Amino acid sequence: MMACQDWPEPVIRVQALAESGLTTIPERFIKPKSQRVTDYATHSSSTQPKFSDTDINIPVIDMKHLYGGEEGQRAEALHRVAEACREWGFFQVVNHGVNHELMKGAREVWREFFHQPIEVKEKFANTPLTYEGYGSRLGVKKGAILDWSDYFFLHYMPCSLRDQTKWPNLPTSLRNEIDEYGEEVVKLGGRVLEILSVNLGLRQDFLLNAFGGEKDLGACLRVNFYPKCPQPDLTMGLSSHSDPGGMTILLPDENVSGLQVRRGDDWITVKPMPNAFIINIGDQIQVLSNAIYKSIEHRVIVNSDKDRVSLAFFYNPRSDIPIQPAKELVTEDRPALYPPKTFDEYRLYIRTRGPNGKAQVESLISKCDSN
């Protein structure tokens, strides 16, 4: 257990708790019954389960059909992406152009970081001011119920916010790995934004320009470390939420399932495909699409036998650009559902509301209607 001065109370390093040999988790991590996994035994396999084509999973998109495939294959792939954005808010992409060895290396070098001595990691301890660095909690509310996870958060774009001195230097290859991985994932994000724009009937560069353009968009990386937990049915690795930004590109742990996506009244445990990224729509794209595309609530469960590492790359609008529904998607039958709000204003709005899961962006609709 380590303390960081700028937080309202001592910060608990979850990995240190897990490695201490405790058999019951502290009360601070026990979620209310309504927020726990109700059928934990179904989801608690320590290794990636085998599954058949009939099992429910988020849609899988083969990107080679979007670039260079036959016209019929491209049309079908575009349709599947559009359907995934409307119905699921999530999809996986394979044959996406990012080197598989780079993906594996990025995941493993971050796993090495989290297994460094605690004094090495504490040199990069974060504060509530920026959250950049090594952390173990997301909110500053005193007495909050905590999630069973540690993380490392860093800014990647725009370049003016990129500060490599805040990036870990152990393992020695980590900084170069971050830079190379970030460059490739940013390129992938740009390609995905083009696909989403085309499917909405907008200019191919619409969403990228709405985000501020190639050089001014915001991009940041959150590496999640979910230690094994002696009572995984009582807590969560990450509480239910929707992503406030534009789009998230997740490199999951291929061996340990954890991400769950809300589907109506059910929670679907995502089964990662080999060498795939999981992409989900964030609140800002829901706003820009005038709610044609959906930002869906999701959460992370933890495991009693194995820890888990994932890399979430957030692809966001520049913080000072007003985000509002595209004029081309506003009609008499479908008026603008959201008022203009910059990403900075939106983050402040949801911060003052506290964690409300999917209620965040939906609450803007009533505000717009009342204006």
Side-chain angles (χ1 to χ4, degrees):
M1 186 180 299
M2 304 292 293
C4 299
Q5 291 182 348
D6 294 317
W7 296 92
E9 53 203 352
V11 172
I12 301 171
R13 299 302 185 198
V14 181
Q15 185 180 2
L17 277 178
E19 294 174 353
S20 70
L22 83 173
T23 56
T24 58
I25 64 175
E27 188 175 350
R28 294 285 306 280
F29 294 90
I30 298 177
K31 302 292 183 181
K33 287 185 178 181
S34 62
Q35 297 177 20
R36 300 179 201 168
V37 178
T38 55
D39 53 347
Y40 184 81
T42 306
H43 307 288
S44 59
S45 174
S46 62
T47 58
Q48 174 60 36
K50 303 294 183 184
F51 57 95
S52 68
D53 292 337
T54 58
D55 286 340
I56 297 176
N57 198 13
I58 62 174
V60 179
I61 309 298
D62 190 336
M63 289 190 70
K64 73 181 180 184
H65 294 152
L66 293 164
Y67 298 97
E70 296 179 2
E71 190 58 37
Q73 291 178 323
R74 174 175 164 79
E76 173 63 20
L78 284 170
H79 173 75
R80 295 194 68 225
V81 173
E83 187 176 51
C85 293
R86 292 193 306 265
E87 302 297 328
W88 282 89
F90 276 79
F91 55 96
Q92 297 190 64
V93 291
V94 295
N95 293 317
H96 40 64
V98 180
N99 183 279
H100 295 170
E101 290 302 313
L102 177 61
M103 296 165 66
K104 179 180 177 181
R107 195 164 40 214
E108 291 310 308
V109 78
W110 275 109
R111 187 183 296 277
E112 286 183 49
F113 167 77
F114 281 102
H115 285 291
Q116 295 288 323
I118 188 68
E119 58 269 20
V120 172
K121 293 180 287 188
E122 286 298 335
K123 291 178 183 177
F124 299 95
N126 68 355
T127 74
L129 296 176
T130 67
Y131 284 90
E132 188 162 22
Y134 173 55
S136 298
R137 61 181 297 160
L138 292 174
V140 295
K141 183 180 178 182
K142 192 170 183 178
I145 299 175
L146 304 175
D147 290 334
W148 192 264
S149 59
D150 296 330
Y151 64 87
F152 200 103
F153 179 85
L154 59 87
H155 294 288
Y156 190 78
M157 290 188 71
C159 291
S160 59
L161 292 181
R162 192 184 305 176
D163 185 355
Q164 294 194 4
T165 64
K166 294 181 179 180
W167 299 3
N169 55 0
L170 286 174
T172 54
S173 63
L174 185 49
R175 288 181 179 174
N176 286 337
E177 197 82 31
I178 294 169
D179 211 16
E180 187 177 356
Y181 178 81
E183 183 178 349
E184 290 303 307
V185 176
V186 166
K187 291 178 184 175
L188 172 61
R191 294 195 294 271
V192 173
L193 285 186
E194 289 179 353
I195 293 165
L196 302 187
S197 296
V198 168
N199 272 339
L200 286 168
L202 304 170
R203 298 185 316 275
Q204 183 173 284
D205 59 357
F206 179 89
L207 288 175
L208 181 60
N209 288 339
F211 278 32
E214 190 174 354
K215 293 184 178 180
D216 286 335
L217 62 85
C220 48
L221 175 67
R222 177 184 148 112
V223 183
N224 305 296
F225 185 83
Y226 302 101
K228 60 183 179 181
C229 178
Q231 295 178 298
D233 55 322
L234 298 183
T235 189
M236 298 297 298
L238 196 58
S239 297
S240 174
H241 66 288
S242 66
D243 290 347
M247 175 177 67
T248 304
I249 302 175
L250 178 75
L251 178 61
D253 192 314
E254 291 186 346
N255 298 312
V256 186
S257 296
L259 174 64
Q260 291 190 324
V261 175
R262 182 181 281 282
R263 181 74 166 160
D265 294 330
D266 298 321
W267 288 96
I268 305 301
T269 302
V270 175
K271 307 170 186 69
M273 300 294 289
N275 302 312
F277 285 102
I278 297 170
I279 296 177
N280 68 277
I281 302 300
D283 294 351
Q284 302 304 302
I285 286 185
Q286 176 165 324
V287 169
L288 284 161
S289 72
N290 206 24
I292 294 172
Y293 291 168
K294 301 298 192 296
S295 176
I296 298 296
E297 197 176 347
H298 51 285
R299 66 187 187 184
V300 176
I301 60 175
V302 288
N303 190 279
S304 60
D305 300 320
K306 291 189 175 183
D307 59 34
R308 180 172 171 271
V309 175
S310 68
L311 281 65
F313 205 90
F314 302 108
Y315 212 90
N316 299 326
R318 200 179 80 190
S319 61
D320 60 349
I321 298 177
I323 301 296
Q324 58 189 315
K327 290 181 173 58
E328 296 87 338
L329 304 178
V330 175
T331 65
E332 288 186 11
D333 294 333
R334 191 181 184 88
L337 296 176
Y338 308 98
K341 196 178 287 287
T342 68
F343 188 36
D344 271 348
E345 290 170 340
Y346 183 70
R347 284 184 290 192
L348 178 61
Y349 170 72
I350 62 176
R351 195 176 299 135
T352 56
R353 289 175 56 83
N356 285 302
K358 192 59 192 68
Q360 295 170 343
V361 71
E362 299 299 345
S363 66
L364 291 178
I365 294 178
S366 60
K367 284 182 171 291
C368 187
D369 290 342
S370 64
N371 288 341

